[in-house]
Amino acid sequence: MRVVSGIQPTGKPHLGNYLGAIVNYVKLQDEAHAAGGECFIFLADLHAISQPHDPAELTQNTREMVATLVACGVDPSKAVLFNQAQVPAHAELQWLLNGTARMGWLNRMTQWKDKAGKNREGQSVALFTYPVLQAADVLLYQATHVPVGEDQKQHLELARDIAQKFNNDFCAEDAPLFTLPEPYIPPAAARIMSLRDGTAKMSKSDPSDMSRISLTDDADTIMKKVKKAKTDPEPLPDNEKDLEGRAEAQNLVGIYGALTGKNAAEVLGEFGGQGFGAFKPALGEVLVETLAPINARFLELKDDEEALDAILARGASQAREAGRDTLTAAYAALGLVR
């Protein structure tokens, strides 16, 4: 079992990142470690420069993301934790795979269409070829499992297509170079929505700080955000069916369930018939209880640049070693003299 996953070091991580991705990193790292496998978790800083960014912020966000992941339970002794920029093989393999990827494949990527909008001509080439770098990220390590949300499934399918075409074009039939990675869709990946709009995902890019619970928020801030979260005037129902069409109520019930390990029916069994005046303080308390130790560990780590850089350097050294044979074989398969 070889798990590979990346997270962009942009903005402050929030509850959606924690419940949707980071919690599963910790589970996967523990599973892979117990099974004698490997887990690679990288900060996708090369991806971050595909759109306008502030260089000083990127440096700070990269270190803060390391502190956040470690505070949340990612263990550098069990997982290989590093940033792409320290492993040149990611960019090298992307270039080698650019010869195999096809314009038509990339043009069909939904995320390219969404992010480029009507101004395709004004976008960076990096934004267009972003999915080829994602393919390189996972193929470099011969990943068997890649945790993906619904929005990234298409990119993993592209990685499989690129791997298959490369194997067909440049490798002997009985000796393919690249492993075709399988998507790992965590069974309980929580989809956390904005506190201001239950139909939109919780996002770092939302202009309103009240739309999200940041993992660095203190107890008072968390309680304030929960109390001000958008709701409707009806009390909570006692069954899931009556939650349909009530996006904000559904979101808050989902958050409570994800934090306590309960399903929606169990949460409604506890709070059905009660108004949000009773439910919101209970949700706030669960959030504070969950996030307080993470916040404390984060604050302890975030200003220790030497320790954070050492974690990245150690992980990058392990990653460079792990990807070396695959990169060498890719150059050889293409007939490049080195």
Side-chain angles (χ1 to χ4, degrees):
M1 183 179 184
R2 191 170 259 200
V3 180
V4 178
S5 188
I7 185 167
Q8 279 210 38
T10 49
K12 296 207 182 305
H14 53 69
L15 185 69
N17 302 131
Y18 175 66
L19 292 174
I22 300 173
V23 163
N24 286 308
Y25 286 167
V26 177
K27 281 183 196 163
L28 282 167
Q29 124 195 312
D30 292 344
E31 281 174 26
H33 186 71
E38 290 175 287
C39 183
F40 294 80
I41 297 169
F42 65 88
L43 307 187
D45 49 2
L46 295 182
H47 286 291
I49 65 169
S50 65
Q51 291 189 292
H53 76 287
D54 178 310
E57 264 183 34
L58 180 56
T59 303
Q60 182 185 343
N61 287 343
T62 299
R63 290 194 176 108
E64 285 196 358
M65 183 61 85
V66 181
T68 301
L69 292 172
V70 173
C72 289
V74 171
D75 183 347
S77 69
K78 291 181 180 176
V80 180
L81 178 58
F82 65 99
N83 61 310
Q84 286 171 309
Q86 292 198 57
V87 186
H90 285 251
E92 286 184 68
L93 185 58
Q94 181 196 16
W95 184 255
L96 301 185
L97 296 178
N98 274 341
T100 296
R102 291 295 178 256
M103 293 280 288
W105 297 355
L106 295 175
N107 262 321
R108 285 196 291 274
M109 295 296 109
T110 306
Q111 283 215 335
W112 158 247
K113 293 175 189 171
D114 290 347
K115 288 184 179 177
K118 291 181 180 173
N119 183 26
R120 290 193 182 190
E121 298 297 315
Q123 300 302 326
S124 72
V125 173
L127 185 63
F128 184 67
T129 61
Y130 179 117
V132 186
L133 180 56
Q134 280 192 321
D137 294 335
V138 299
L139 298 179
L140 179 64
Y141 302 107
Q142 304 290 355
T144 58
H145 294 78
V146 180
V148 287
E150 285 299 319
D151 58 342
Q152 292 295 336
K153 272 175 75 177
Q154 191 185 30
H155 286 177
L156 189 63
E157 284 160 14
L158 177 78
R160 288 172 60 88
D161 289 342
I162 291 172
Q164 186 71 67
K165 181 167 170 55
F166 190 101
N167 288 342
N168 291 345
D169 291 353
F170 302 110
C171 304
E173 201 174 324
D174 59 347
L177 171 56
F178 294 119
T179 302
L180 269 56
E182 292 292 338
Y184 174 86
I185 300 173
R191 186 172 166 81
I192 306 301
M193 313 307 276
S194 163
L195 299 182
R196 311 302 294 158
D197 176 4
T199 63
K201 270 178 79 172
M202 189 174 283
S203 168
K204 299 171 192 167
S205 57
D206 191 308
S208 170
D209 190 51
M210 298 300 288
S211 70
R212 59 189 165 268
I213 304 284
S214 295
L215 297 187
T216 51
D217 286 343
D218 60 27
D220 289 345
T221 306
I222 290 170
M223 293 303 281
K224 181 181 166 189
K225 286 181 177 180
V226 171
K227 282 178 182 170
K228 292 201 168 187
K230 186 180 173 188
T231 50
D232 55 45
E234 299 298 318
L236 285 170
D238 55 11
N239 65 86
E240 275 186 88
K241 192 171 183 305
D242 290 343
L243 262 187
E244 286 172 20
R246 298 177 62 185
E248 283 77 23
Q250 222 163 8
N251 185 38
L252 296 186
V253 167
I255 292 172
Y256 190 94
L259 292 167
T260 57
K262 295 177 178 176
N263 60 37
E266 289 170 320
V267 177
L268 294 174
E270 196 177 334
F271 292 98
Q274 297 185 44
F276 288 100
F279 181 63
K280 281 182 173 181
L283 174 59
E285 280 172 28
V286 169
L287 276 162
V288 169
E289 193 181 318
T290 304
L291 299 183
I294 292 172
N295 193 307
R297 181 80 173 113
F298 171 80
L299 292 174
E300 192 183 300
L301 287 166
K302 82 177 177 75
D303 294 323
D304 192 345
E305 287 186 12
E306 199 175 315
L308 298 173
D309 288 351
I311 289 170
L312 288 177
R314 188 167 62 248
S317 173
Q318 292 172 286
R320 287 192 295 269
E321 183 63 35
R324 182 175 294 130
D325 288 350
T326 297
L327 184 66
T328 300
Y331 273 106
L334 292 168
L336 294 161
V337 177
R338 299 181 83 204

